[in-house]
Amino acid sequence: MPLARAWSVALIGIEGRPVEIEADIGAGLPGTKLVGLPDAGLREAKDRVRAAVRNSGQRWPDSNVTLGLSPADLPKDGSGYDLGIAAAVLAASGAVPAPKLVDTILLGELALDGRVRPVRGVLPALLAARRSGYRRAVVAPESLAEGSLVGGIDVLGAGRLGELIAWLCDEDGLPRAEPDHGRAPPQHPDLADVVGQPEARWALEVAAAGGHNLLMTGPPGVGKTMLATRLPGLLPELGDDEALEVTAVHSVDGSLEPDSPLVRVPPFVAPHHSISVAALIGGGTGLATPGVISKAHRGVLFLDEAAEYGGERLDALRTVLEEGEVRIARSRGSVRYPARFQLVLATNTCPCAPPRETECSCSPAARRRYLAKLSGPLLDRVDLRVRMRPVTAMNVAGGESAEPTDRVRERVVAARERAAKRWSDRGWQTNAEVPGPALRREFALPQETTRLLDRGLNRGAITARGADRCLRIAWTLSDLAEADEPAADHVAAALEFRDRRAA
Ligand SMILES: Nc1ncnc2c1ncn2[C@@H]1O[C@H](COP(=O)(O)OP(=O)(O)O)[C@@H](O)[C@H]1O
Ligand SMILES: [Mg+2]
Ligand SMILES: [Zn+2]
């Protein structure tokens, strides 16, 4: 048979499309040609695959081989097509039977000696394959656990090209994935370690319960970083669909644990302020890889010393916060990655960052400039602001032990369930997601409840956006209080979170 086909998957971001790999063996001078928009890595594939085929005891055709990857207009990256290319050539030359190739997705890179190496993005690739009706896939053994997360598709592992050949010839079975039981719950640092700071602890609880973005301001050493790292421990586990979505991003990033790949726990990502914009947002050569903001998808993005990040990074974040995803334009088309995270910002009040504010040596203008770096438009998206002061020795010595994470999480989870149920038919999960117009019209509160807020609006003391933020927090406070809707007290308390803002 001079012409044969095999199937693989192209990934653009975490979206996959099946790719048909055709091999045609024609008369003519020996040589191998690859057509269909391959990138540089893929062009090397023909040399790699030829060596792997030879080193697996097979002959490479000594006539003209044309390899086509289609659809041709789809950008194709990387080395994951090796296995499919080898299979198509071997079927075309008659070395292996073709029937199994018709409905099998092949994903794997070949080493020169014929070993099959794992590739990134197996999970999103197989999700796409299943959507397109494929029921079987062969991957590297290291990818079996990841592949098995996709139900309804039979995932087999081949450690060497020879094993795939034997399976195509109906000789040997290939091993299947063991079901994944999920990784052991991670050990989060506990809130019981945090002394004092009742307001900031409460702000953290409210942020967790409503999914609100949070800004903590205060001198060094008061526990801002400590508190931020304790937020993921307060959040509920990811639901099944969310877990797959998050795992898909981490799969493309290549950061999954091979034995227990499913990401069940909201990620916590804390990039240093010197991070490049490409690493933050996504980028790199070829088709872009996900940035830190996408690795924080459905989790927490923590910017410590937030004022140091610079306008370009913070501006980029603002757009992402609005859209919940990032689009990265490449010469060969744009890539989309999800990026819906909870933002936590921590900052000193001034550049000299003294342990006590009375010891600050900065001019008032320098202090203003420093905080102005956290641009207004970004802060508009931060519902909660809390000012922290040094813990006094008395707090540390005398206080009874602080409430542990487990107890706080119970309240958070209950409040989140209330909110999710209330907004369920609108597709919102948390109060932070509810748009302003919905808060003001459909879910408007009685006038006597919002009197304080209305007065502030009329006096010009509160902006319309500020009022929306206040209402969102009021809903969260009422959820935490197990009330049906916010009362005037909740609105008043929500307003305090605004007024207690930075310097
Ligand atoms: N409220 C607190 N309770 C217990 N330890 C604290 C507290 N605040 C600060 N510390 C101690 O100081 C160290 C620095 O705290 P950190 O959270 O990094 O402060 P910040 O981020 O505000 O500069 C912590 O590792 C911890 O040992
Ligand atoms: Mg810190
Ligand atoms: Zn200062």
Side-chain angles (χ1 to χ4, degrees):
M1 191 193 309
L3 179 75
R5 294 186 178 83
W7 291 91
S8 195
V9 177
L11 278 181
I12 298 117
I14 57 168
E15 314 291 338
R17 293 254 308 270
V19 166
E20 183 182 50
I21 301 169
E22 283 179 301
D24 177 73
I25 302 177
L29 294 173
T32 305
K33 209 163 63 210
L34 199 57
V35 295
L37 210 68
D39 82 337
L42 198 50
R43 278 195 294 274
E44 288 166 8
K46 60 184 183 188
D47 299 327
R48 253 193 334 263
V49 173
R50 192 163 42 204
V53 165
R54 287 205 183 112
N55 290 323
S56 303
Q58 301 288 327
R59 229 167 41 81
W60 188 262
D62 48 14
S63 50
N64 194 305
V65 178
T66 306
L67 291 163
L69 272 63
S70 59
D73 61 353
L74 208 59
K76 302 171 201 74
D77 253 28
S79 47
Y81 302 99
D82 288 5
L83 209 51
I85 292 172
V89 169
L90 289 169
S93 70
V96 300
K100 280 184 180 168
L101 291 177
V102 175
D103 55 359
T104 303
I105 292 286
L106 302 173
L107 291 173
E109 178 183 320
L110 283 171
L112 301 184
D113 64 0
R115 268 176 303 129
V116 182
R117 289 196 173 123
V119 292
R120 294 178 179 197
V122 164
L123 175 75
L126 294 188
L127 286 171
R130 182 180 65 183
R131 264 197 306 279
S132 302
Y134 289 85
R135 288 286 164 264
R136 189 165 53 193
V138 178
V139 299
E142 293 89 337
S143 303
L144 272 176
E146 182 181 339
S148 73
L149 298 175
V150 185
I153 184 160
D154 195 14
V155 185
L156 308 171
R160 309 192 62 91
L161 178 57
E163 293 168 23
L164 175 70
I165 294 170
W167 177 74
L168 289 169
C169 295
D170 261 336
E171 283 170 21
D172 275 316
L174 288 172
R176 286 196 166 70
E178 299 291 326
D180 175 47
H181 298 296
R183 60 183 85 172
Q187 296 302 305
H188 290 295
D190 203 288
L191 267 177
D193 308 335
V194 180
V195 177
Q197 304 296 6
E199 290 178 5
R201 291 176 66 106
W202 176 231
L204 195 75
E205 179 171 341
V206 176
H212 305 287
N213 297 329
L214 171 68
L215 167 68
M216 292 180 282
T217 318
V222 293
K224 301 185 293 293
T225 306
M226 255 188 125
L227 278 170
T229 53
R230 282 156 178 78
L231 176 56
L234 294 179
L235 301 174
E237 280 202 337
L238 301 173
D240 291 344
D241 291 345
E242 288 175 335
L244 277 184
E245 199 181 34
V246 171
T247 308
V249 176
H250 292 230
S251 167
V252 173
D253 178 54
S255 56
L256 292 179
E257 284 175 37
D259 293 337
S260 180
L262 188 64
V263 182
R264 270 275 174 215
V265 173
F268 178 81
V269 188
H272 188 258
H273 53 70
S274 65
I275 188 175
S276 72
V277 174
L280 183 69
I281 300 300
T285 54
L287 287 175
T289 48
V292 157
I293 54 167
S294 293
K295 288 179 223 166
H297 181 53
R298 305 249 177 239
V300 176
L301 180 70
F302 175 45
L303 303 189
D304 208 352
E305 317 297 352
E308 307 286 345
Y309 281 76
E312 195 186 357
R313 297 184 189 84
L314 296 177
D315 272 351
L317 277 181
R318 182 173 56 90
T319 324
V320 174
L321 280 175
E322 260 153 47
E323 295 173 358
E325 63 174 30
V326 56
R327 276 173 196 285
I328 308 156
R330 318 301 290 173
S331 57
R332 290 153 61 207
S334 88
V335 179
R336 191 196 68 88
Y337 283 111
R340 197 172 288 286
F341 50 82
Q342 198 170 346
L343 181 66
V344 178
L345 305 168
T347 184
N348 296 311
T349 43
C350 71
C352 85
R356 321 233 153 242
E357 273 164 61
T358 47
E359 291 157 21
C360 171
S361 58
C362 304
S363 70
R367 291 173 64 92
R368 264 198 311 279
R369 263 201 313 277
Y370 190 73
L371 286 174
K373 288 186 190 170
L374 292 176
S375 66
L378 180 68
L379 284 187
D380 262 343
R381 299 253 138 208
V382 179
D383 289 345
L384 283 168
R385 292 132 198 221
V386 64
R387 179 82 175 265
M388 294 169 71
R389 293 175 200 289
V391 183
T392 59
M394 213 159 50
N395 289 138
V396 180
E400 67 264 34
S401 64
E403 212 179 10
T405 289
D406 280 349
R407 284 237 299 279
V408 182
R409 186 178 44 227
E410 277 172 28
R411 294 195 296 268
V412 167
V413 169
R416 277 194 169 232
E417 276 166 10
R418 279 187 107 81
K421 207 160 132 204
R422 177 171 59 242
W423 312 125
S424 64
D425 49 344
R426 303 298 303 269
W428 307 312
Q429 287 184 349
T430 59
N431 296 332
E433 290 165 64
V434 183
L439 289 168
R440 275 176 267 126
R441 296 190 205 122
E442 292 166 77
F443 299 97
L445 300 170
Q447 244 175 16
E448 60 270 22
T449 305
T450 57
R451 187 166 297 137
L452 206 55
L453 196 57
D454 298 335
R455 222 182 293 151
L457 273 167
N458 288 339
R459 272 191 296 130
I462 301 171
T463 61
R465 272 173 176 267
D468 291 348
R469 283 196 297 268
C470 172
L471 287 172
R472 280 190 206 102
I473 295 167
W475 277 101
T476 303
L477 294 175
S478 104
D479 287 333
L480 280 166
E482 300 178 29
D484 287 332
E485 66 170 35
D489 282 356
H490 297 131
V491 173
L495 271 171
E496 289 220 2
F497 272 123
R498 296 259 322 120
D499 294 340
R500 265 192 239 133
R501 64 164 297 180

